[in-house]
Amino acid sequence: MIVPMKKVSLVVLNKEKRQALQQLRKTGVVHLQEVKGESDELSSCRKHASQVAGALSILSEIKIKGKVDYNASLTEDEAVNIAEKVLSLTEEKKSLFAQQTSFKNELERFSKWGNINPEDFEFLAEKGIFLYMYEIPVDKYNSLGDDVKTLLVDKDRNQARFLLISDTKLSSEATSGVLPPEAYRVVMPSCSTSLIKKSLEENINRMAEIDKEIESAVCFIPSLKNAEHSINKKIEFENLFSGMGCEEDCEENVRLSWLTGFVPVEDVPSIKKCAKDNNWALAVDDPGENDEVPTKLKNNKLVELIYPVTDFLGTVPGYNEYDISNWFLLFFTVFFGMIFGDGGYGALLLSAGIFSMIPSFKAKKTPSAMSFLLTLLGFATMVWGAVTCTWFGLRVDQIPDFLKMLSVPAISNVTSAVSGTKLSLISSGGDTVNISYEAWVKENLQIFCFTLALIQLSVAHIKGMAKNRKSLKFLGELGSLLQLWGMFYVVLSMVVDGVRFPLGITPETYWLFSKVPLPYLCIGSIAFGFLLSFIFSNYEGNLLKSILESCKNIVSVLLGVVNVFSDIVSYIRLWAVALAGGAISATVNEMAGPLLGHALMFIFAILILTVGHGLNMILNVLSVIVHGVRLNTLEFSSHLGMSWTGFKYKPFQE
């Protein structure tokens, strides 16, 4: 359930607001409205928080061989100093790396020239001998005239490197008439290449020293995390302190400050007592329509198992929306089992969940919700794998008989494997239909998916009817429910089998109370439901306005009928994704099967099975996130009218 909230407003003397915030934090029940404060202390805290977070990011990426003796005894100031040092060393390393790249490029540029020292060139220039370095294609160098004084330094198949000798100082333009245009003048290095090599070595050594210094700070990670938590608490406090509303044109002694927040109804007495003990002015009222009220969920231990999933997704219902945690857990568990669809995979997940609880039991602690959830999902997957007789993608003839006996014939792979004879069924039109066992099982699985859609989406509209039971909007929800039920038969006819579920009318068609044919009943349900929805879905106290609102949005209203069809059909993804996963596991088995009979290839076969099935399980996890979660947060939620616009209740506390 979503815990009811009260809006509270506190008024205190401005000179006492720091003490008031400290007392309010001790109470730990008020979710304060967001304020934006500014102060020197706040800026300093934010700077330190950024430094510590940056240092933690750097240190967490370092992998240390061997055991690390973590030190969590640093004070906050000492931790900040460590963070500053880590960041400073990291910046120095970046600068050195840039220099190292530059040095390497310079050495590469002069690798064919030998040792170059600009001072030697300057010395000769003072003596009237000017030397200029050039590179030129070999054939062009050989064609230089005798009047061009050169000294060949190096030559390979393509390029010649030479010194142009002159008794006068020459510019690049001055040599253009002497040398061919292919000649490239080499720019002199800033210092000698030997000095560059020495600087590069010093650079490399210093970077190694920096790495060691940074690695030595890994032991302070716990202290840095403690400091980060402490600084963030300071930021929260200082932001509130500097951002509280305050009177401006009053004397300091009587100037007032105030803040607003939200408190769970059950905690209102504690905030009243705190206000009374500290002589605060307190106003308690119901939240307004435009108030952004935080959401606090309160459920039993079983339903809370879904919280790791919703926390991972970051989905929080709005304060005025529904808490569907119980339905989310129920259907997510079913969807998970169907998408994984393999009893063998379920056994692995169940084992992993149980083993993850053992350390907690040994420490006499309650295992995490994630461990219990993993166990539940593994069990659900095992159940689905058992009823469909799916175990590690094995063929039916490879599965033990006692596992086959656990399956349900209507949806079992054992039934699908029956060949030759066909099954005779009576359609809803009264005709006899012959169908293969494999097709019958496939259609039954599809019908099961659509039945899940009918159940889950019906729950959404029944909840809507319960919420609007005192309003004519109740009839709008009833209309949506009737459309859903009628469209269910249309989906069976158009997607599953038009022969078994005909939309046409024959003398043998099933009749309701011998008066109304079933297809007509379904079409009538859709039409009557649409009429109710059109008239009452926007009802807010005025029937005419409700109808006009539907007329304004006539396109979306008409498309709503199509959306009901597509939402039901969307649930077929549960069968389709499971079918794909089953095909992958079967393919892995086929790849490894022939190798298992050879002693030399046995290990390789085990490797194929491990990697193949492991990869398939990872893909199944992604499928659950994409498909299993979607059906709850999109299809189901859209029929509930939920937009997941809420945010968590986070009280101001120590």
Side-chain angles (χ1 to χ4, degrees):
M1 61 171 285
I2 295 178
V3 177
M5 291 281 177
K6 288 289 186 180
K7 184 177 182 179
V8 297
S9 298
L10 293 171
V11 181
V12 301
L13 289 173
N14 185 66
K15 62 182 181 181
E16 298 177 356
K17 66 178 184 178
R18 183 172 289 275
Q19 295 85 344
L21 285 174
Q22 291 170 348
Q23 291 298 321
L24 189 63
R25 185 164 61 178
K26 289 180 180 179
T27 306
V29 296
V30 184
H31 177 109
L32 296 171
Q33 284 186 340
E34 184 179 354
V35 297
K36 293 183 179 180
E38 289 295 337
S39 68
D40 293 339
E41 180 68 19
L42 181 59
S43 298
S44 176
C45 288
R46 286 172 174 165
K47 177 183 176 183
H48 291 162
S50 176
Q51 290 172 331
V52 172
L56 280 172
S57 177
I58 293 168
L59 296 176
S60 62
E61 295 179 358
I62 297 176
K63 295 181 180 179
I64 303 294
K65 294 182 179 179
K67 187 177 180 181
V68 179
D69 295 325
Y70 290 105
N71 184 340
S73 61
L74 295 182
T75 65
E76 183 181 308
D77 289 339
E78 289 173 336
V80 170
N81 290 335
I82 291 293
E84 290 177 346
K85 181 180 178 181
V86 170
L87 294 177
S88 175
L89 289 171
T90 303
E91 287 300 317
E92 182 183 355
K93 183 179 177 181
K94 289 180 181 178
S95 177
L96 290 172
F97 184 79
Q99 290 179 8
Q100 186 180 115
T101 302
S102 177
F103 291 154
K104 288 180 177 179
N105 289 338
E106 282 292 274
L107 292 176
E108 177 66 22
R109 192 160 67 94
F110 293 101
S111 60
K112 300 293 180 66
W113 285 90
N115 292 325
I116 300 294
N117 189 346
E119 293 181 357
D120 294 340
F121 285 76
E122 292 175 0
F123 175 79
L124 292 173
E126 292 175 358
K127 303 298 183 180
I129 302 174
F130 296 90
L131 302 177
Y132 302 95
M133 296 184 293
Y134 276 89
E135 292 184 1
I136 194 172
V138 173
D139 57 339
K140 295 294 182 182
Y141 178 76
N142 294 331
S143 63
L144 292 176
D146 295 336
D147 56 331
V148 180
K149 296 180 180 180
T150 64
L151 178 62
L152 182 65
V153 176
D154 178 74
K155 183 171 67 171
D156 53 31
R157 182 184 302 177
N158 299 316
Q159 292 288 112
R161 296 162 191 85
F162 65 93
L163 294 173
L164 176 65
I165 305 173
S166 174
D167 53 3
T168 60
K169 188 174 183 179
L170 300 175
S171 63
S172 299
E173 292 78 7
T175 60
S176 59
V178 178
L179 298 174
E182 290 84 0
Y184 167 72
R185 186 167 180 173
V186 179
V187 179
M188 191 72 65
S190 58
C191 61
S192 67
T193 52
S194 59
L195 184 59
I196 293 175
K197 289 179 181 178
K198 182 180 179 182
S199 298
L200 178 61
E201 292 176 359
E202 292 175 350
N203 185 303
I204 294 172
N205 293 334
R206 177 54 186 157
M207 288 182 67
E209 291 175 1
I210 290 175
D211 286 338
K212 290 181 180 179
E213 289 185 55
I214 293 177
E215 287 178 6
S216 67
V218 169
C219 64
F220 299 117
I221 286 180
S223 293
L224 290 169
K225 288 182 177 179
N226 292 337
E228 183 179 39
H229 177 75
S230 175
I231 294 170
N232 285 334
K233 284 293 182 182
K234 282 185 179 180
I235 291 174
E236 181 185 31
F237 187 94
E238 293 298 331
N239 181 59
L240 288 169
F241 178 77
S242 58
M244 285 177 64
C246 179
E247 288 183 314
E248 298 293 340
D249 301 328
C250 292
E251 296 181 6
E252 179 60 32
N253 290 335
V254 296
R255 186 179 297 173
L256 299 177
S257 292
W258 58 86
L259 49 79
T260 303
F262 299 92
V263 179
V265 171
E266 59 190 20
D267 294 322
V268 169
S270 63
I271 192 64
K272 284 185 175 180
K273 183 179 183 302
C274 184
K276 182 179 179 181
D277 293 343
N278 292 279
N279 297 317
W280 301 337
L282 173 67
V284 180
D285 198 2
D286 291 325
E289 291 184 3
N290 298 322
D291 286 329
E292 295 182 356
V293 187
T295 302
K296 180 181 180 181
L297 301 179
K298 185 177 182 180
N299 292 290
N300 58 49
K301 295 296 183 181
L302 176 61
V303 176
E304 287 179 356
L305 294 182
I306 198 61
Y307 288 175
V309 176
T310 54
D311 289 344
F312 171 76
L313 298 172
T315 53
V316 180
Y319 178 71
N320 294 312
E321 294 182 340
Y322 299 96
D323 176 18
I324 61 169
S325 299
N326 51 351
W327 296 108
F328 199 126
L329 176 63
L330 173 62
F331 287 107
F332 179 76
T333 302
V334 175
F335 298 160
F336 187 99
M338 292 180 66
I339 289 174
F340 262 74
D342 192 297
Y345 291 174
L348 294 177
L349 294 174
L350 179 64
S351 301
I354 293 174
F355 278 114
S356 68
M357 297 181 187
I358 294 176
S360 298
F361 286 136
K362 287 183 177 179
K364 296 181 179 180
K365 296 180 180 179
T366 302
S368 66
M370 190 63 206
S371 296
F372 282 114
L373 179 62
L374 183 60
T375 304
L376 174 64
L377 297 176
F379 178 74
T381 305
M382 276 192 70
V383 170
W384 184 256
V387 299
T388 58
C389 199
T390 307
W391 299 92
F392 289 115
L394 296 173
R395 298 193 310 271
V396 172
D397 60 295
Q398 297 172 323
I399 299 174
D401 289 339
F402 76 93
L403 291 178
K404 296 179 185 177
M405 293 174 61
L406 297 175
S407 65
V408 176
I411 55 176
S412 173
N413 287 327
V414 177
T415 307
S416 294
V418 176
S419 60
T421 59
K422 289 192 175 183
L423 186 67
S424 296
L425 302 175
I426 303 298
S427 71
S428 62
D431 298 326
T432 300
V433 179
N434 294 321
I435 186 173
S436 68
Y437 282 94
E438 183 179 5
W440 181 60
V441 170
K442 183 188 77 170
E443 291 182 2
N444 287 341
L445 287 169
Q446 293 176 346
I447 293 171
F448 184 80
C449 293
F450 297 143
T451 303
L452 277 177
L454 180 66
I455 294 171
Q456 187 176 30
L457 301 183
S458 293
V459 167
H461 292 296
I462 291 171
K463 288 178 72 70
M465 291 166 64
K467 181 179 180 180
N468 298 288
R469 61 187 178 277
K470 296 181 180 180
S471 168
L472 289 179
K473 204 168 186 178
F474 170 91
L475 296 175
E477 289 289 348
L478 176 61
S480 297
L481 185 63
L482 291 174
Q483 290 182 71
L484 179 68
W485 289 347
M487 195 61 74
F488 174 71
Y489 184 84
V490 175
V491 169
L492 295 183
S493 176
M494 299 183 68
V495 179
V496 179
D497 191 340
V499 177
R500 288 177 62 186
F501 306 98
L503 287 174
I505 307 301
T506 65
E508 295 81 10
T509 298
Y510 288 160
W511 296 68
L512 183 66
F513 304 122
S514 301
K515 297 293 183 183
V516 182
L518 185 59
Y520 279 11
L521 178 65
C522 296
I523 301 300
S525 176
I526 296 173
F528 184 61
F530 175 79
L531 182 63
L532 288 177
S533 180
F534 185 86
I535 296 173
F536 298 105
S537 61
N538 297 303
Y539 181 78
E540 296 293 344
N542 188 305
L543 192 60
L544 181 59
K545 286 184 178 180
S546 177
I547 296 173
L548 289 175
E549 188 66 28
S550 295
C551 291
K552 289 179 184 177
N553 302 293
I554 187 64
V555 175
S556 60
V557 171
L558 292 173
L559 288 176
V561 181
V562 180
N563 288 338
V564 175
F565 178 88
S566 63
D567 287 345
I568 297 175
V569 172
S570 182
Y571 282 70
I572 203 172
R573 68 183 67 234
L574 298 171
W575 166 73
V577 174
L579 189 65
I584 293 175
S585 59
T587 301
V588 171
N589 293 340
E590 290 178 4
M591 292 172 60
L595 302 178
L596 290 172
H598 301 276
L600 296 177
M601 303 299 292
F602 183 80
I603 296 177
F604 188 58
I606 296 299
L607 180 63
I608 291 176
L609 290 173
T610 302
V611 174
H613 285 291
L615 179 60
N616 194 23
M617 291 184 71
I618 293 173
L619 293 175
N620 283 339
V621 171
L622 296 176
S623 297
V624 168
I625 295 174
V626 173
H627 302 290
V629 169
R630 171 202 163 100
L631 294 175
N632 280 296
T633 57
L634 187 59
E635 277 81 358
F636 182 45
S637 297
S638 65
H639 282 256
L640 281 167
M642 290 182 61
S643 55
W644 299 97
T645 55
F647 55 97
K648 274 191 173 182
Y649 164 75
K650 294 181 179 179
F652 179 52
Q653 58 187 358
E654 295 180 330

